[in-house]
Amino acid sequence: MKIFKFGGASVKDANGVKNVVNVLKEVGHQDTLLVISAMGKTTNAMEKIVDSYFTDKNQLDLVIQEVVDTHKTIINELFEAKNHEIHNRVNALIEEFKGFLMWNKSPKYAFVYDQVVGYGELLSTTIVSAYLDEVGLNNHWLDVRDLIKTDNSYRDAQVNWERTQKEVTSTVNKNKLNITQGFLGSDENNFTTTLGREGSDYTAAILAYCLKAESVTIWKDVPGVLNADPRHFNETKLLHKISYREAIELAFYGASVIHPKTLQPLQGREIPLHVKSFLNPKEQGTTVGKGTKISPETPCFIVKKNQVLLKLSSLDFSFIVEENMSEIFKLFHDYKLKVDLIQNSAISFSVCLDNKFGGLKEILPVLEQKFKVTHHEAVSLYTIRHFDENSVEKILNGYSVLVEQRGKETIQLVVK
Ligand code: ASP
């Protein structure tokens, strides 16, 4: 069985949905399971609904209407018949989450979030499934919440692999064209859970693992995995082949092509992952597989902007030892600061941090009680995998380097 994942950008409008059909016709759709995200930016719009529900109920009808309107526009373009069955199905889904919001008594944001936001995926798969039927691609719509069982950590649900394996094996008919939602699961009590933003890649990997699939293909609006983010670098190269290890390293350092959790289940069963363009489906794209050397051999650039460089030294010239370190790391964890790079000497210790949740302001006075603290905000962290002097030169051009760390394959530079 093959797993195809289509993200939000691939089904952002009626033409996108039509293009999914083109892709399926071009590359074949035998024994395939489609995993589909919410259309375009619907997940953001669903988040707005949840926010309004908690903070500004007056806006609620308006933000719900926005979601209804975008989907209605797409349906009207896809289906000619005004009385097509799809209208009832979509209306029923909208009434379902409106009903939930009306009767819900839970004050828990994360719980409510998961019960509501997942309707983005339920709407998109219902529409795409009906359209596939319409053009003669008969398919089987599956509710992924019956397949992927999780704990109840809403918004960051952890998969119960044993139960998921059981449900997938007993439910999915491998000889059909199946279609299901990314991002969602359900807990013990059958409440909807979500796997974290951008989690649909991970859904594809979970299902591939349980089905012992032949391959997973992520269809994107880029030709595959590039050696640098085109938003930050002028010249980019397509990587034809990389290993799981390489892909994990790239994701770890901040490359945003593949959701980091996706690779682990695939590696476990050595299932190849293809990243291809939904605009040119016949092109080769990138294949992530076992032990494959990176090809072409080229430096890969990853940049994280807006980081913080923090330097701690002892107040009395004493050594910074394990005990201090463990205390410092506990504080980073408590204040939700993610450590990107570490460098230490006898009496000082520097870290590059991601201040995503704004914990920096609060941690500084705590650290200042014990250490001499200096910090630079708005620094950039460049990571180059498979670097050579040329590639380093490229980055250094015009910047001053605050920290440099070289390994055999990877160099990291904190620059301002
Ligand atoms: N729709 C979800 C999101 O936008 C999941 C996904 O598309 O991967 O985060």
Side-chain angles (χ1 to χ4, degrees):
M1 185 158 222
K2 285 193 225 130
I3 314 290
F4 284 177
K5 182 252 168 172
F6 287 94
S10 63
V11 288
K12 69 174 195 296
D13 51 25
N15 281 335
V17 178
K18 289 179 184 168
N19 186 58
V20 170
V21 174
N22 290 344
V23 173
L24 295 179
K25 286 189 173 157
E26 270 201 51
V27 301
H29 45 79
Q30 297 301 316
D31 314 338
T32 302
L33 168 59
L34 308 178
V35 173
I36 307 216
S37 301
M39 294 175 145
K41 301 262 178 256
T42 301
T43 305
N44 295 350
M46 298 304 290
E47 285 183 342
K48 271 215 260 168
I49 295 179
V50 179
D51 283 345
S52 306
Y53 174 76
F54 279 104
T55 58
D56 186 5
K57 284 223 167 61
N58 294 331
Q59 292 294 313
L60 195 57
D61 285 344
L62 201 76
V63 282
I64 293 178
Q65 198 54 43
E66 275 174 33
V67 170
V68 174
D69 290 346
T70 19
H71 289 85
K72 287 273 153 97
T73 310
I74 295 176
I75 297 174
N76 289 335
E77 264 186 63
L78 289 174
F79 302 90
E80 267 172 35
K82 290 280 159 281
N83 57 353
H84 195 287
E85 180 49 30
I86 186 66
H87 291 279
N88 293 337
R89 276 189 248 157
V90 162
N91 288 341
L93 287 170
I94 290 161
E95 288 311 313
E96 245 175 67
F97 75 77
K98 277 186 168 170
F100 169 82
L101 289 173
M102 197 123 78
W103 304 116
N104 170 61
K105 295 272 185 304
S106 170
K108 296 204 170 96
Y109 184 92
F111 169 77
V112 173
Y113 179 103
D114 279 6
Q115 306 324 301
V116 173
V117 169
Y119 277 90
E121 267 70 14
L122 292 165
L123 285 165
S124 75
T125 49
T126 301
I127 296 170
V128 175
S129 168
Y131 184 69
L132 293 179
D133 276 336
E134 188 83 351
V135 298
L137 294 180
N138 289 338
N139 65 93
H140 192 60
W141 186 92
L142 293 165
D143 189 332
V144 81
R145 297 171 297 180
D146 298 334
L147 303 175
I148 297 185
K149 298 304 289 184
T150 69
D151 66 3
N152 62 1
S153 324
Y154 298 110
R155 300 191 69 184
D156 185 28
Q158 304 301 308
V159 175
N160 177 335
W161 286 95
E162 215 174 294
R163 285 213 50 205
T164 301
Q165 178 70 70
K166 222 175 100 209
E167 299 301 339
V168 171
T169 317
S170 61
T171 314
V172 180
N173 180 340
K174 291 193 185 184
N175 304 318
K176 279 191 173 162
L177 171 61
N178 292 282
I179 170 168
T180 198
Q181 308 78 40
F183 186 45
L184 312 181
S186 72
D187 67 9
E188 281 270 281
N189 297 314
N190 291 329
F191 283 113
T192 308
T193 55
T194 62
L195 305 171
R197 284 301 306 264
E198 310 292 333
S200 295
D201 288 1
Y202 185 41
T203 305
I206 297 166
L207 295 173
Y209 179 90
C210 294
L211 290 161
K212 300 196 173 76
E214 171 190 324
S215 65
V216 173
T217 306
I218 299 181
W219 296 99
K220 290 196 122 220
D221 54 1
V222 288
V225 179
L226 304 174
N227 75 325
D229 186 333
R231 286 172 300 182
H232 302 299
F233 294 86
N234 294 333
E235 285 167 44
T236 58
K237 270 190 209 160
L238 175 66
L239 303 174
H240 296 297
K241 286 200 174 114
I242 53 173
S243 62
Y244 296 114
R245 162 85 203 281
E246 185 69 48
I248 289 170
E249 296 275 354
L250 292 175
F252 173 77
Y253 289 118
S256 58
V257 262
I258 305 163
H259 189 275
K261 273 181 163 178
T262 309
L263 295 151
Q264 195 239 340
L266 298 180
Q267 184 188 24
R269 288 208 163 140
E270 294 181 13
I271 299 167
L273 169 70
H274 305 290
V275 181
K276 292 186 181 220
S277 156
F278 57 70
L279 298 170
N280 299 299
K282 282 273 170 68
E283 276 179 14
Q284 185 192 356
T286 303
T287 299
V288 185
K290 189 190 165 205
T292 25
K293 249 186 130 200
I294 182 165
S295 150
E297 271 185 62
T298 183
C300 299
F301 299 86
I302 302 134
V303 56
K304 281 188 160 181
K305 302 235 165 179
N306 231 340
Q307 306 293 294
V308 181
L309 181 66
L310 190 72
K311 186 173 170 190
L312 306 175
S313 357
S314 47
L315 291 168
D316 56 1
F317 232 66
S318 62
F319 294 148
I320 293 210
V321 290
E322 288 79 1
E323 199 190 320
N324 311 113
M325 299 258 198
S326 68
E327 188 188 344
I328 295 167
F329 274 92
K330 176 156 187 321
L331 287 171
F332 291 154
H333 178 76
D334 292 346
Y335 288 87
K336 289 194 171 158
L337 291 157
K338 198 179 155 282
V339 179
D340 291 325
L341 171 142
I342 308 164
Q343 195 157 59
N344 69 323
S345 73
I347 54 163
S348 82
F349 172 76
S350 301
V351 276
C352 190
L353 297 169
D354 196 339
N355 183 28
K356 209 159 69 189
F357 300 98
L360 181 74
K361 232 171 100 192
E362 291 162 51
I363 204 175
L364 286 175
V366 182
L367 291 169
E368 275 160 1
Q369 288 170 13
K370 292 209 168 170
F371 304 96
K372 184 168 166 261
V373 185
T374 49
H375 78 283
H376 298 267
E377 292 188 46
V379 299
S380 299
L381 171 66
Y382 281 90
T383 304
I384 316 175
R385 300 261 309 148
H386 314 287
F387 67 97
D388 54 19
E389 287 318 311
N390 237 339
S391 55
V392 178
E393 280 301 307
K394 240 193 219 168
I395 300 297
L396 293 185
N397 207 355
Y399 283 125
S400 62
V401 178
L402 303 173
V403 176
E404 175 181 319
Q405 205 165 74
R406 270 175 201 251
K408 211 169 121 244
E409 289 183 313
T410 309
I411 185 168
Q412 291 196 287
L413 302 158
V414 180
V415 301
K416 183 138 184 145

